[in-house]
Amino acid sequence: MTFDALKPQVKDILSNQNLSFEAQLFEVCKLLEHHISYYNWVGFYFKNGDKNELKLGPYVGEPTDHTIIPFGKGICGQVAVSNQNFVVPDVSAQDNYIACSVTVKAEIVIPIFVNGENIGQIDIDSNTADPFTEADERFLEFVCQEISKRISNNS
């Protein structure tokens, strides 16, 4: 399924009033992991209150021990500090990579902004080397923007 075909489904999930926000995020994870063959782990991390750390939110894929990630550590922790997308074509080439699984070859992390503040991120691991393109980045930015709208409309 193409990214364009997935966009209305993401919007539908995030506007489903019968689901809690956590359930909506979990459904988005399931949608992406199911329809994009090289998305092998899809999850969200959010700023943990006033602490300089991220806390694992809904995800789909292998269980992870990384439920709390300090800012600056790993790819997710670096995105929490830089506020920039981070595409890693080869995780073995990264000095500051936190390995979740030996099968992971690549990772992409896109921040979620609400009112200009980085409040979290979507994190995707792939068991395929160098699978992510600019199209993935643009699509995941769209997903993050839709999540930001959902948060803003309900706060």
Side-chain angles (χ1 to χ4, degrees):
M1 186 172 286
T2 66
F3 292 135
D4 285 341
L6 288 170
K7 286 180 178 182
Q9 293 183 54
V10 169
K11 284 185 170 192
D12 288 347
I13 290 168
L14 293 172
S15 64
N16 184 340
Q17 307 248 335
N18 295 322
L19 296 175
S20 68
F21 180 56
E22 294 281 315
Q24 290 172 346
L25 292 177
F26 182 65
E27 290 300 317
V28 168
C29 291
K30 289 193 323 190
L31 178 76
L32 301 187
E33 190 271 340
H34 179 75
H35 288 288
I36 303 171
S37 63
Y38 52 94
Y39 285 18
N40 302 113
W41 192 96
V42 179
F44 292 95
Y45 282 93
F46 289 96
K47 188 168 190 279
N48 191 10
D50 291 334
K51 300 175 184 171
N52 284 332
E53 64 185 25
L54 297 165
K55 185 176 183 180
L56 181 63
Y59 72 93
V60 172
E62 292 292 316
T64 179
D65 293 334
H66 305 291
T67 57
I68 300 290
I69 298 176
F71 282 12
K73 297 289 182 192
I75 308 307
C76 291
Q78 290 177 74
V79 169
V81 173
S82 73
N83 299 321
Q84 301 290 317
N85 296 352
F86 201 149
V87 181
V88 182
D90 177 6
V91 295
S92 69
Q94 284 293 315
D95 291 339
N96 193 8
Y97 174 69
I98 300 173
C100 292
S101 167
V102 295
T103 60
V104 175
K105 304 277 190 273
E107 184 173 10
I108 185 170
V109 179
I110 308 293
I112 302 167
F113 294 97
V114 174
N115 299 322
E117 181 187 352
N118 182 346
I119 57 103
Q121 54 202 227
I122 189 167
D123 176 22
I124 297 173
D125 291 343
S126 180
N127 299 340
T128 304
D130 197 12
F132 304 116
T133 66
E134 188 173 327
D136 290 278
E137 273 194 86
R138 299 297 84 79
F139 172 68
L140 294 171
E141 286 170 349
F142 164 84
V143 171
C144 290
Q145 287 164 359
E146 291 302 310
I147 290 167
S148 175
K149 286 181 200 172
R150 163 63 176 80
I151 293 169
S152 296
N153 291 339
N154 291 291
S155 56

